[in-house]
Amino acid sequence: MYRPAARLADIEPFHVVELFTRAHQLQAEGRDIIHMEVGEPDFPTPEPIAHAAMAAIASGKTMYTQAFGLPELRQAISDFYRQRYGVDVPARRIAVTNGASGALNLAFACLTNPGDEWLLADPGYPCNRHIVRTYEGRPQAIAVGPQSNFQPTPAQVGAAWSEKTTGLLVASPANPTGTLLTLPEIAALAEVCRARKGHFMVDEIYHGLTYETDAPTACTAGDDIWVINSFSKYFQMTGWRLGWMVIPEPYLRDVEKLAQNLVLCPSTPAQHAALAAFRPETIAILEERRAEFRRRRDFLAPALEALGFRITARPEGAFYLYCDSSALAADSFALARDLLEKTGVAATPGLDFGANAPEKHIRFAYTTGVDRLAEAVERLRRYFGR
Amino acid sequence: MYRPAARLADIEPFHVVELFTRAHQLQAEGRDIIHMEVGEPDFPTPEPIAHAAMAAIASGKTMYTQAFGLPELRQAISDFYRQRYGVDVPARRIAVTNGASGALNLAFACLTNPGDEWLLADPGYPCNRHIVRTYEGRPQAIAVGPQSNFQPTPAQVGAAWSEKTTGLLVASPANPTGTLLTLPEIAALAEVCRARKGHFMVDEIYHGLTYETDAPTACTAGDDIWVINSFSKYFQMTGWRLGWMVIPEPYLRDVEKLAQNLVLCPSTPAQHAALAAFRPETIAILEERRAEFRRRRDFLAPALEALGFRITARPEGAFYLYCDSSALAADSFALARDLLEKTGVAATPGLDFGANAPEKHIRFAYTTGVDRLAEAVERLRRYFGR
Ligand SMILES: Cc1ncc(COP(=O)(O)O)c(C=O)c1O
Ligand SMILES: Cc1ncc(COP(=O)(O)O)c(C=O)c1O
């Protein structure tokens, strides 16, 4: 008797796990693998954050908290919005969550009726469409490309909007492309949604990891916008599973009901850790690392282009280069497999990110040092015979 | 524009939060509040577990893990099943989750089609029916009472099963009653579900906290049973948000897909902490605390009965006494409010646990020391004028 819910037929595993597992197998066999497939910073959690966690644990701060998290952490996040972006986001609108993942789950659970359609960029972060589907929504892909810097335009959103559409989710900086939305672009997308009485969600998980300009927050474009963020990437707390969400006022009670019933509360040690995330000494560490990410990107992008990869997006943030590999190989999945086997360089083929020419794209993460990136480039050079 | 999903109309907040908030307000005003409303152990996380977490954090073990958790933790849980219950549960069938909450979410998301009905005991843990509803299922209450020790019987399940029923969830020990199911009872319920090609889920989160006999695990009654557990209660790790689930083999891939997309992974520091949970020195601490819970129960139950509360369930486990308060007050919610204001004793009225005579019941948690319980009883004695 095997009777999973019908939704499972639409939910895909991470295809990259196959490559990832193979990479670790090769490593176990003694091969030197350069990991450029991993979507998390290689830096350890900054010392002040780790220290705050250990102090909290040592003093027994490990009980359940309120569903939306510690009031002082919500206040610290509110203060951060004021300091960093000059925008007033009251603490009561901020829910602390199990990573951005937890925030996305609560938001979609709160807003999605069965059959409701959500507009999502393709390529995009793969989990989004599966989270939507889990709450019985229907993800609708908007194919994005170099014309619009891999972000949906108001015109595209307007054209894609149907009777059944309930909202739009974008990410800035985006995964897998690292591209940004300007504040006017965010405002214009918000307007399109508002005009259609739809919801607008912006995933800002890669904020802080931008290398030309700071990314503007959608909080500035209206308090009817759902803003998702996380301690995972800029704050380098991936495994702690802590994020947050800025919720439009009318939905506070609804999201709180969901959080109470579905999660009880986010991790207490992680919350105490995060209280140290906004301290000047922590921010100093993070800003140094941001500069290091920039050096890596500035090394890797031209080096990959010299090999024949085409970077058609402006990778202004996150730690990814999404490359058009079609001049080098017909199928990026086969290419990724072959690169791994023959060169020990692990990268993520487009397959996980959607249905918009995935076979032509491959994502390199610069989540390893410049020396290793240089070694990777040298191996690729030999592989392609350049 | 306020347009939450329709499901939100069926999802209730925790009503006890109102009392809880009031209790903390009174406390802030200087009143001495005895907390018997709280569903978590008052003991700190055992030192070896806390220590393991700090060591992991200090050595930078804070990155994402596999979606189902660290292989060595899954193996440790598998070993625990062999040692404690003499049952073979292979590590590959064990998923580490964000508490039992995370396990319940994954299980219901995996098994529930829109409109599918789940049979749940009433009174029962309130989140269950709201989690079911979130995945577009329909909770169906089975009213349970003293006749069946507040557990559903095979006859009740058979009678309640409809065309639309997809499965049954029970808890042993149960919340709010602390009652147990014997292994033959579990096996008989499993048979009823099997005969109807339905799913059977058993929540064993209060295992280890039983005071006459050890609770038998449903893992012994068939590998087609979904078994939920957690590090929250027996292991006293509530705020860490870590639990696990034993998954029937055919569904492993489905649940893994969901875990990859919905949560990425459970908390890494918590997982490293939990590796120390099964060590003999930790178990020794836990068994001492179990004995202390027993002393509290053995003090509190007769004391409450002497005041006129009726304990109609056999409270063999967990840390709750679910009392019939109808001889003392018509409405347990009003009673709880009045007790809090006039005596500073906080307890949980039946309201949160379902629709089966909630106004006649109140739950006292013995999550505070015997001296405080004695003080509470004395205050209640004066309140009732005994
Ligand atoms: C765009 C985007 N959103 C959300 C997430 C979820 O991250 P977390 O749950 O660790 O905060 C990720 C992780 O890679 C991501 O890339
Ligand atoms: C019966 C029952 N199941 C599940 C849970 C969820 O606990 P956690 O998510 O902390 O493991 C609780 C918490 O009180 C409970 O009482």
Side-chain angles (χ1 to χ4, degrees):
Chain A
M1 201 218 53
Y2 169 61
R3 232 155 38 78
R7 64 174 68 91
L8 268 298
D10 302 328
I11 293 176
E12 287 167 76
F14 287 0
H15 300 291
V16 73
V17 166
E18 183 195 313
L19 284 162
F20 197 74
T21 308
R22 180 67 184 145
H24 281 270
Q25 194 181 331
L26 289 171
Q27 210 161 7
E29 291 168 10
R31 284 280 297 279
D32 177 49
I33 304 297
I34 305 178
H35 290 284
M36 302 175 72
E37 83 283 31
V38 180
E40 68 182 317
D42 51 320
F43 300 108
T45 299
E47 208 279 327
I49 298 178
H51 188 82
M54 291 188 280
I57 293 167
S59 65
K61 292 178 180 160
T62 60
M63 301 277 186
Y64 291 133
T65 70
Q66 292 173 28
F68 272 1
L70 296 168
E72 57 270 40
L73 180 55
R74 298 166 71 191
Q75 187 56 54
I77 296 169
S78 170
D79 295 343
F80 184 67
Y81 276 106
R82 191 162 316 102
Q83 284 155 26
R84 182 155 287 206
Y85 302 99
V87 59
D88 185 49
V89 181
R92 76 169 179 284
R93 285 186 54 210
I94 295 166
V96 181
T97 58
N98 287 334
S101 302
L104 289 162
N105 276 277
L106 291 173
F108 284 123
C110 183
L111 297 177
T112 311
N113 277 309
D116 279 357
E117 294 180 359
W118 278 93
L119 301 177
L120 310 171
D122 180 353
Y125 178 59
C127 299
N128 293 330
R129 60 184 193 275
H130 300 121
I131 300 176
V132 166
R133 189 63 193 89
T134 298
Y135 300 103
E136 288 301 320
R138 297 281 166 180
Q140 292 295 322
I142 297 185
V144 294
Q147 312 78 15
S148 64
N149 201 25
F150 286 88
Q151 293 283 1
T153 63
Q156 281 182 305
V157 172
W161 205 283
S162 85
E163 279 277 278
K164 291 182 174 169
T165 304
T166 194
L168 165 71
L169 165 66
V170 298
S172 170
N175 178 1
T177 56
T179 66
L180 288 190
L181 288 165
T182 63
L183 190 55
E185 283 167 343
I186 293 171
L189 291 171
E191 258 325 307
V192 177
C193 296
R194 251 174 233 134
R196 285 160 183 78
K197 299 199 192 308
H199 309 290
F200 184 38
M201 241 183 251
V202 182
D203 181 344
E204 303 190 338
I205 187 172
Y206 291 104
H207 267 226
L209 296 175
T210 55
Y211 311 114
E212 268 80 36
T213 47
D214 281 335
T217 176
C219 291
T220 313
D223 53 17
D224 56 348
I225 303 174
W226 297 68
V227 177
I228 313 281
N229 209 324
S230 176
F231 290 97
S232 285
K233 312 288 173 163
Y234 175 61
F235 298 98
Q236 289 135 32
M237 292 181 68
T238 46
W240 299 82
R241 314 308 302 116
L242 204 73
W244 75 83
M245 172 160 61
V246 179
I247 303 166
E249 192 90 42
Y251 296 95
L252 283 175
R253 190 88 190 100
D254 290 319
V255 181
E256 190 182 28
K257 289 195 298 184
L258 287 169
Q260 287 176 339
N261 284 290
L262 306 186
V263 298
L264 303 188
C265 72
S267 162
T268 306
Q271 291 188 69
H272 285 281
L275 281 170
F278 305 107
R279 285 204 215 127
E281 64 270 31
T282 308
I283 299 288
I285 296 170
L286 298 175
E287 290 298 309
E288 248 173 59
R289 293 176 179 181
R290 185 214 289 236
E292 168 63 15
F293 275 124
R294 181 189 179 135
R295 275 189 293 277
R296 295 172 178 183
R297 183 200 63 167
D298 291 349
F299 165 78
L300 187 62
L304 289 177
E305 288 183 310
L307 292 174
F309 291 100
R310 289 175 52 231
I311 302 176
T312 55
R314 284 194 306 278
E316 296 174 88
F319 31 64
Y320 308 116
L321 294 174
Y322 193 63
C323 302
D324 181 336
S325 54
S326 60
L328 296 166
D331 171 7
S332 62
F333 203 93
L335 174 65
R337 236 194 231 121
D338 206 45
L339 286 180
L340 178 60
E341 298 294 337
K342 301 210 176 116
T343 73
V345 173
T348 309
L351 185 59
D352 273 312
F353 304 110
N356 178 13
E359 73 288 352
K360 292 191 173 155
H361 292 89
I362 188 162
R363 188 191 77 177
F364 292 93
Y366 41 97
T367 44
T368 187
V370 169
D371 53 334
R372 297 290 283 163
L373 297 177
E375 166 69 18
V377 167
E378 179 52 28
R379 292 188 195 175
L380 295 179
R381 205 189 49 71
R382 268 179 272 140
Y383 174 88
F384 290 115
R386 303 273 152 145
Chain B
M1 198 218 56
Y2 169 62
R3 233 158 33 80
R7 64 174 68 91
L8 269 298
D10 302 328
I11 293 177
E12 289 168 75
F14 286 1
H15 300 291
V16 74
V17 166
E18 183 196 312
L19 284 161
F20 197 73
T21 307
R22 180 68 185 143
H24 281 270
Q25 194 181 329
L26 289 171
Q27 210 161 8
E29 291 167 11
R31 283 280 296 280
D32 176 49
I33 304 296
I34 304 178
H35 290 285
M36 302 175 73
E37 83 284 31
V38 181
E40 68 181 317
D42 51 320
F43 301 108
T45 299
E47 207 278 328
I49 298 177
H51 187 84
M54 293 188 278
I57 293 166
S59 65
K61 292 179 180 160
T62 60
M63 301 277 186
Y64 291 132
T65 69
Q66 292 174 29
F68 272 2
L70 296 167
E72 57 269 39
L73 180 56
R74 297 166 71 191
Q75 187 58 54
I77 296 169
S78 170
D79 295 344
F80 184 67
Y81 275 107
R82 190 161 318 100
Q83 283 155 27
R84 182 155 288 206
Y85 302 99
V87 58
D88 186 49
V89 180
R92 77 170 177 283
R93 285 187 53 211
I94 296 166
V96 181
T97 57
N98 287 337
S101 302
L104 289 162
N105 276 276
L106 291 173
F108 284 122
C110 182
L111 297 177
T112 311
N113 278 308
D116 279 358
E117 294 179 0
W118 278 94
L119 302 177
L120 310 171
D122 181 351
Y125 178 59
C127 300
N128 293 329
R129 60 184 192 275
H130 301 121
I131 300 176
V132 165
R133 189 65 193 90
T134 298
Y135 300 102
E136 288 301 322
R138 296 282 165 179
Q140 292 296 322
I142 295 185
V144 294
Q147 311 78 14
S148 65
N149 202 25
F150 287 88
Q151 292 282 1
T153 64
Q156 280 182 306
V157 172
W161 205 283
S162 85
E163 279 278 276
K164 290 182 175 170
T165 304
T166 195
L168 166 70
L169 165 65
V170 297
S172 170
N175 179 359
T177 56
T179 68
L180 289 190
L181 287 166
T182 64
L183 189 55
E185 283 167 343
I186 293 170
L189 290 170
E191 258 324 307
V192 177
C193 295
R194 252 174 232 135
R196 285 158 183 79
K197 298 200 193 311
H199 309 290
F200 185 37
M201 240 184 250
V202 182
D203 181 345
E204 303 189 340
I205 187 172
Y206 292 104
H207 267 225
L209 296 174
T210 55
Y211 311 113
E212 269 80 37
T213 47
D214 281 335
T217 176
C219 291
T220 314
D223 52 17
D224 55 348
I225 302 174
W226 296 69
V227 178
I228 313 282
N229 210 323
S230 176
F231 289 97
S232 285
K233 313 288 171 159
Y234 175 62
F235 298 98
Q236 288 135 35
M237 292 181 67
T238 46
W240 298 82
R241 315 307 302 118
L242 204 72
W244 74 84
M245 173 159 61
V246 179
I247 302 165
E249 192 89 43
Y251 295 94
L252 283 175
R253 190 90 190 98
D254 290 318
V255 181
E256 191 182 26
K257 288 195 299 185
L258 287 169
Q260 287 176 339
N261 285 290
L262 306 186
V263 298
L264 302 187
C265 72
S267 161
T268 306
Q271 291 187 68
H272 285 281
L275 281 170
F278 305 108
R279 284 205 216 126
E281 64 270 30
T282 309
I283 298 289
I285 297 169
L286 298 175
E287 289 298 310
E288 247 172 60
R289 293 176 180 181
R290 185 214 289 236
E292 168 62 16
F293 276 124
R294 184 193 175 131
R295 274 190 293 278
R296 295 171 179 183
R297 183 200 62 169
D298 291 349
F299 165 78
L300 188 63
L304 289 177
E305 288 184 310
L307 293 174
F309 291 101
R310 288 174 51 232
I311 302 175
T312 55
R314 285 195 305 278
E316 297 174 87
F319 32 64
Y320 307 117
L321 294 174
Y322 192 63
C323 302
D324 181 336
S325 54
S326 60
L328 297 167
D331 171 6
S332 62
F333 203 93
L335 174 64
R337 237 195 231 120
D338 206 47
L339 286 180
L340 177 59
E341 298 293 337
K342 301 211 176 115
T343 73
V345 173
T348 309
L351 185 60
D352 272 312
F353 304 110
N356 177 13
E359 73 288 352
K360 292 192 172 155
H361 293 89
I362 188 162
R363 188 192 75 177
F364 292 94
Y366 41 97
T367 45
T368 186
V370 169
D371 53 334
R372 296 291 283 163
L373 297 178
E375 166 69 20
V377 168
E378 179 53 28
R379 292 187 196 175
L380 295 180
R381 204 188 52 72
R382 267 179 272 140
Y383 174 86
F384 290 116
R386 301 274 156 145

